[in-house]
Amino acid sequence: MNRQGSPAQTILEYAEEVNADLIVIGSRGLNAISEFILGSVSHNVVQHAKIPVLVVK
């Protein structure tokens, strides 16, 4: 299964498709400035998920 698009949006769509109860995602540990400039997949997933998200560092 090959998916394309925004990583955060793809994760959220897949979690909904499979009726997931929890999303587990890693954190790259970017500092606040790097996260602001580059954006963060884990941050976006946490902000937009309709189910609980566990961020592992």
Side-chain angles (χ1 to χ4, degrees):
M1 169 183 342
N2 187 11
R3 296 177 182 255
Q4 295 182 350
S6 158
Q9 188 62 35
T10 301
I11 291 167
L12 293 168
E13 288 171 359
Y14 182 74
E16 190 168 325
E17 283 177 26
V18 299
N19 198 27
D21 295 322
L22 173 71
I23 298 171
V24 179
I25 192 165
S27 169
R28 289 181 40 183
L30 296 175
N31 62 35
I33 295 173
S34 296
E35 184 174 333
F36 178 75
I37 294 170
L38 300 175
S40 169
V41 173
S42 57
H43 178 77
N44 286 328
V45 169
V46 167
Q47 292 297 312
H48 297 100
K50 296 177 183 174
I51 61 173
V53 178
L54 174 63
V55 181
V56 180
K57 190 164 186 173

